[in-house]
Amino acid sequence: NGLTAQAQNAAFAAMTANSSCTTGQDACINGSFAQCTGSTFSLTPCSSGLSCFALPLLNSNGTSISCDRQDDAEARIQAAGVDGG
């Protein structure tokens, strides 16, 4: 899950609000939570001090996309056995 979260975060870094998407797809764009509706991303800013990240799930396979502090996101990815954000 850590490697998947790391790969998703790397992919998100290359995305913009104008990136193509599929309805129902979630992402992190410019630190905001992004949800695709009708092939267009709608961005929702995170609360002050937080940014959007893909985070590894702990009790099942996969990731979650949510707003978090950068240091906490990095710690969760490292706790899943992966170095880096």
Side-chain angles (χ1 to χ4, degrees):
N1 292 344
L3 288 174
T4 301
Q6 189 179 50
Q8 285 179 312
N9 287 319
F12 295 158
M15 297 174 76
T16 69
N18 296 322
S19 295
S20 61
C21 62
T22 304
T23 297
Q25 178 183 0
D26 294 331
C28 296
I29 298 177
N30 296 328
S32 294
F33 181 82
Q35 186 171 33
C36 184
T37 51
S39 74
T40 303
F41 277 115
S42 297
L43 275 57
T44 303
C46 294
S47 298
S48 179
L50 304 179
S51 291
C52 186
F53 299 98
L55 301 170
L57 295 177
L58 300 176
N59 297 319
S60 60
N61 288 330
T63 61
S64 64
I65 299 174
S66 63
C67 295
D68 198 358
R69 292 186 333 267
Q70 183 167 343
D71 63 332
D72 186 57
E74 290 174 358
R76 289 181 186 209
I77 290 171
Q78 288 175 355
V82 180
D83 290 329

